Amino acid sequence: MEWIEQTKDVRINGKDLNEKVISGSAYAPARELAAALCLQIEWDQATKTVRMMKGSASK
């Protein structure tokens, strides 16, 4: 992961993410972040939680 201070960009494995900087913190879409890190992703509607993990995305 790389933070480019001059442009406020976040780059993972050479891929730029569509992040937003709010009050000094960088936020990236979970699905895009998971894809850049080769992780599975799942959404738990009951707890409104995103989970990212290696392997299959099953409970």
Side-chain angles (χ1 to χ4, degrees):
M1 183 190 290
E2 181 180 6
W3 169 254
I4 298 110
E5 178 66 31
Q6 298 81 1
T7 60
K8 307 291 190 240
D9 288 334
V10 174
R11 189 173 295 144
I12 295 178
N13 298 330
K15 182 180 183 220
D16 290 332
L17 299 183
N18 292 314
E19 81 288 341
K20 304 260 187 239
V21 177
I22 301 170
S23 298
S25 295
Y27 297 88
R31 191 166 303 279
E32 188 178 350
L33 183 59
L37 295 171
C38 299
L39 298 174
Q40 298 293 320
I41 189 170
E42 70 180 27
W43 170 252
D44 183 332
Q45 180 62 33
T47 62
K48 300 192 181 331
T49 303
V50 173
R51 290 178 30 147
M52 291 184 238
M53 66 218 90
K54 290 184 178 185
S56 69
S58 61
K59 290 182 177 180

